[in-house]
Amino acid sequence: MLIDGYDDAPLVAGEELLSLPGFWAAYLMWLCETEDDEPDPAWFGADEADADAAYEGLANQERWPVFRIPFSEGHSAVVLARNLADDAGTEYLVTHPSWDRLGHLATLDGHQAGPGLSWRELIHIARTTELAAPGVHDPSARLLLLLPALGDSDLPTDAADVLRGALTWAGAPETETHRMIEALLLDHPYWKPAGWSLPPTSPLSGGEEGFAGILCCDEPGSPRCGTRIAQGISRDQSDRLARALGTWPPT
């Protein structure tokens, strides 16, 4: 599997890992830690051996799993495990066959960048799959895969219920979901919840022409603070991305 910029990396489709009983514990447990609670695989309906086995697959240095999340108008969100021995991390990207470069949402590593998604975008992507494209199609799986890129200070009143539903779908006992929801939505270890708004008509940083319709983040550490998701895309491509993200035309 080739993704621009990763031509020499040992990328493999990661979707088969989703069926492992410890996958969601391995993928999300680190995000659930708080001052009062040390997360446990049982929160996700798994045991320690299951979680360890799934983590080995996620962190395999010889096979970097890539999770493809196809959404509207031919776009795909991509979660890529960058399993370098001395620079491991997770990349959250957007791709389109007509683009000549990747769109950058967020990075989780020692030099993190984010947040990369608003709640509005996260939910829209999760619910607008393109079934003909390869990748992950279940809305709950899509939401949970992209959840670590979230950072939004203006969550809707039903956000906790939506997340609770996704967690129980993933095998978390309903009695345990209360332990995780606040941490997953509001207590990210790498960044604080951010504000999202449509950009002004003035140029973005670096003198770029501002394209309407795609939200900007007010967190300076976000790749989406004052710059486009994908550098070099045309206005038409940007308009299609805005529609695919559910932010254009404005509501």
Side-chain angles (χ1 to χ4, degrees):
M1 176 188 296
L2 296 179
I3 295 178
D4 289 344
Y6 293 88
D7 294 4
D8 297 324
L11 305 184
V12 297
E15 288 83 20
E16 64 181 19
L17 295 178
L18 297 178
S19 64
L20 296 177
F23 176 82
W24 294 111
Y27 186 73
L28 289 175
M29 195 165 63
W30 68 279
L31 273 173
C32 299
E33 185 171 355
T34 68
E35 292 182 359
D36 300 321
D37 273 320
E38 184 73 26
D40 187 283
W43 294 8
F44 293 86
D47 60 31
E48 189 170 343
D50 290 336
D52 287 346
Y55 183 78
E56 287 180 8
L58 279 169
N60 191 328
Q61 294 179 11
E62 297 179 356
R63 293 171 57 85
W64 297 5
V66 176
F67 303 92
R68 299 160 294 177
I69 302 168
F71 62 108
S72 301
E73 303 208 27
H75 299 88
S76 289
V78 175
V79 182
L80 187 155
R82 192 188 67 242
N83 292 333
L84 291 169
D86 56 353
D87 189 25
T90 305
E91 301 285 354
Y92 294 82
L93 310 165
V94 175
T95 66
H96 191 278
S98 69
W99 297 358
D100 61 3
R101 65 187 76 186
L102 296 169
H104 187 195
L105 295 176
T107 298
L108 301 178
D109 62 11
H111 305 282
Q112 66 271 8
L117 287 169
S118 69
W119 177 263
R120 178 181 175 183
E121 294 166 328
L122 172 63
I123 291 299
H124 191 79
I125 292 172
R127 294 174 176 173
T128 55
T129 187
E130 288 200 347
L131 294 174
V136 180
H137 298 289
D138 188 279
S140 292
R142 291 156 67 88
L143 187 154
L144 294 176
L145 280 170
L146 292 174
L147 187 64
L150 174 71
D152 196 330
S153 60
D154 188 24
L155 295 172
T157 55
D158 68 343
D161 289 338
V162 172
L163 180 55
R164 182 178 294 107
L167 290 169
T168 54
W169 168 89
E174 288 192 30
T175 55
E176 301 293 350
T177 56
H178 71 280
R179 297 176 179 267
M180 300 182 276
I181 288 173
E182 183 173 355
L184 290 170
L185 292 178
L186 298 173
D187 195 19
H188 201 289
Y190 284 166
W191 51 71
K192 295 180 179 179
W196 295 84
S197 60
L198 292 173
T201 56
S202 58
L204 301 173
S205 62
E208 287 186 319
E209 179 187 3
F211 289 173
I214 297 178
L215 299 178
C216 288
C217 182
D218 67 4
E219 168 55 49
S222 171
R224 300 183 58 187
C225 182
T227 57
R228 299 178 193 155
I229 290 179
Q231 303 299 302
I233 65 174
S234 68
R235 179 181 291 277
D236 178 66
Q237 290 170 326
S238 180
D239 287 348
R240 285 196 287 165
L241 176 60
R243 290 193 296 270
L245 291 171
T247 56
W248 188 260
T251 57

